[in-house]
Structures are given as structure tokens and as C-alpha cells.
Amino acid sequence: KEAVICENLEAKYLIVPQNIAKRIQNAADHYLFDAKVLVQIQEEDEIEEVASEGIDGVIFSEAIIKIS
């Protein structure tokens, strides 16, 4: 539900937990989302696993800047 809302708000990227990424990616493919589905990862070795599931891409945890 949240992914569909984000898509309707014209989000460019959906950063989703790895445990639901495949389900979100399937919805994105079926409904032709413009947003790309990304999974947050810690290590470079995780890229192959995420790619094999057909997920659009990854983002390293270190690349996310938290502003409080």
C-alpha cells in the first residue's frame, strides 16, 4: 500500500527492506511504476543476491545521510 502511495506522489526511488523487496518489485513491474526499487545493503557481496531477485538496485547504508 505504501509503495503505491509513494508512486502516486511521484517518488523517484523506493528504499525498501530486503525481506519485502521482491514483493514490491513485482508490484512495480506489474503496475509500471516510474520509481525504482532499491534495497539498503551493508556489503558489496550483497549486490549479486539482490540483482538475482530482479530488484532495480541497491544503496549502501553509508550513502544515507540522516538529518535530525
Side-chain angles (χ1 to χ4, degrees):
K1 174 175 113 177
E2 292 161 338
V4 173
I5 291 169
C6 290
E7 171 63 18
N8 284 309
L9 293 172
E10 299 182 6
K12 299 297 179 196
Y13 302 100
L14 305 175
I15 302 173
V16 302
Q18 192 163 358
N19 64 326
I20 63 167
K22 185 63 177 163
R23 207 169 93 203
I24 301 297
Q25 185 66 59
N26 288 340
D29 292 344
H30 182 75
Y31 293 107
L32 301 175
F33 282 13
D34 290 327
K36 297 295 181 189
V37 178
L38 303 178
V39 172
Q40 183 177 344
I41 62 170
Q42 306 292 326
E43 302 291 328
E44 193 173 312
D45 296 343
E46 297 173 78
I47 294 172
E48 187 175 345
E49 177 186 345
V50 173
S52 70
E53 293 190 11
I55 309 304
D56 288 327
V58 298
I59 185 166
F60 285 97
S61 297
E62 299 165 355
I64 299 173
I65 300 171
K66 295 181 182 179
I67 301 173
S68 43

